[in-house]
Amino acid sequence: MPLLVEGRRVRLPQSAGDLVRAHPPLEERARLLRGQSVQQVGPQGLLYVQQRELAVTSPEDGSISILGSDDATTCHIVVLRHTGNGATCLTHCDGTDTKAEVPLIMNSIKSFSDHAQCGRLEVHLVGGFSDDRQLSQKLTHQLLSEFDRQEDDIHLVTLCVTELNDREENENHFPIIYGIVILSSRTAVNIKTAEIYRASFQDRGPEQELRAARALTGGPMISIYDAKTEQLRIGPYSWMPFPHVDFWLQQDDKQILEKLC
């Protein structure tokens, strides 16, 4: 079934800019999101999602009420939510294997939504900028195309990506929004009107270093949280030797960014 905006089929492929111009409500939501002030989010009730991770929760969760992620440059933060039961998935996509990751995101929500009598699936995409290598543009296209290929109707509610999330300073391009949070409150109002906010984070745990090390091994996207048991779970992973690591540890940030990114 198709990817929809305001009940109308999205025509793909097209750039993010062309897409929002064809659907003015998308353009307005992107403008409002860019105009928000950045909220500082503390650790209380927060599950922070790192690169190549996803987490899904629901309003019945007694431990987690906020899902969030940041440090997205060319990466995109994706939120998929079922409006009927409030089940919400947030993931930080880097384009490693978008074709496999989108079904994983879909299945994580379906595990909560099997018995929902009403509601729809809504997706929000935030991140990226007008980078020289066009990595953001490529990831935007991949995500839109893969959601459009899914069996279920998916309603695109927020699109603030690539050129829509770009600012220029001294002829260099940077993202406007690096991070977001979404609330998964137990109140009926928030279940119906869940909002996304610009955010930065005081704490990126739990187990920030362990999880970052897993991402550095190049493993696939994983689900890190079991909302039914309310437990964070990081499975085993392998660590391969990093050639000449002693040399790279001595280099400054400029050299590392130029040679390794």
Side-chain angles (χ1 to χ4, degrees):
M1 297 297 287
L3 188 66
L4 304 170
V5 176
E6 301 293 319
R8 294 159 46 196
R9 175 74 184 266
V10 172
R11 181 177 59 82
L12 296 172
Q14 61 178 313
S15 70
D18 289 341
L19 182 54
V20 298
R21 283 187 286 272
H23 301 277
L26 278 182
E27 189 167 26
E28 177 65 10
R29 279 191 286 268
R31 185 189 66 80
L32 292 173
L33 186 60
R34 289 193 303 266
Q36 289 181 4
S37 58
V38 178
Q39 297 194 21
Q40 299 292 326
V41 180
Q44 185 67 35
L46 168 69
L47 179 56
Y48 182 85
V49 178
Q50 295 191 17
Q51 187 170 333
R52 225 174 300 138
E53 292 181 344
L54 73 82
V56 60
T57 187
S58 75
E60 284 70 41
D61 193 322
S63 299
I64 301 300
S65 57
I66 305 170
L67 296 174
S69 188
D70 68 352
D71 287 342
T73 51
T74 58
C75 294
H76 289 18
I77 301 170
V78 178
V79 174
L80 183 68
R81 185 172 173 274
H82 192 282
T83 62
N85 59 16
T88 303
C89 175
L90 184 144
T91 185
H92 189 131
C93 297
D94 62 5
T96 299
D97 190 358
T98 306
K99 188 173 183 178
E101 291 166 359
V102 169
L104 186 64
I105 296 167
M106 294 291 296
N107 288 334
S108 71
I109 287 294
K110 287 182 178 181
S111 68
F112 283 86
S113 305
D114 288 345
H115 303 294
Q117 298 300 312
C118 59
R120 67 182 194 175
L121 291 170
E122 295 184 345
V123 67
H124 309 259
L125 306 179
V126 179
F129 67 110
S130 297
D131 62 285
D132 292 340
R133 293 182 290 175
Q134 296 189 332
L135 298 176
S136 301
Q137 183 181 29
K138 180 181 178 182
L139 182 53
T140 296
H141 171 71
Q142 289 175 346
L143 286 166
L144 290 172
S145 297
E146 290 305 321
F147 277 112
D148 192 52
R149 292 190 181 103
Q150 302 307 302
E151 294 180 356
D152 302 89
D153 284 351
I154 303 169
H155 297 261
L156 180 61
V157 176
T158 303
L159 186 69
C160 190
V161 294
T162 314
E163 64 261 48
L164 304 173
N165 190 44
D166 183 79
R167 65 181 177 89
E168 189 172 352
E169 184 178 324
N170 298 325
E171 299 184 354
N172 294 311
H173 291 265
F174 303 91
I176 297 172
I177 301 172
Y178 287 88
I180 61 171
V181 293
I182 185 165
L183 305 182
S184 181
S185 169
R186 280 182 289 276
T187 67
V189 173
N190 278 341
I191 286 175
K192 296 297 183 185
T193 62
E195 295 290 337
I196 291 174
Y197 302 96
R198 292 180 62 179
S200 63
F201 301 88
Q202 303 169 14
D203 182 87
R204 292 176 172 82
E207 301 294 348
Q208 178 181 1
E209 292 80 9
L210 175 67
R211 293 159 59 190
R214 189 207 69 85
L216 285 173
T217 66
M221 179 176 287
I222 60 168
S223 177
I224 61 169
Y225 184 67
D226 185 339
K228 295 175 182 178
T229 61
E230 301 183 9
Q231 292 182 329
L232 180 76
R233 293 182 177 179
I234 306 297
Y237 59 87
S238 300
W239 180 266
M240 300 298 291
F242 193 142
H244 313 297
V245 66
D246 52 342
F247 169 80
W248 288 111
L249 288 173
Q250 297 172 23
Q251 306 309 303
D252 58 26
D253 290 348
K254 181 180 179 182
Q255 288 293 322
I256 291 174
L257 288 170
E258 287 181 353
K259 304 301 183 183
L260 295 182
C261 293

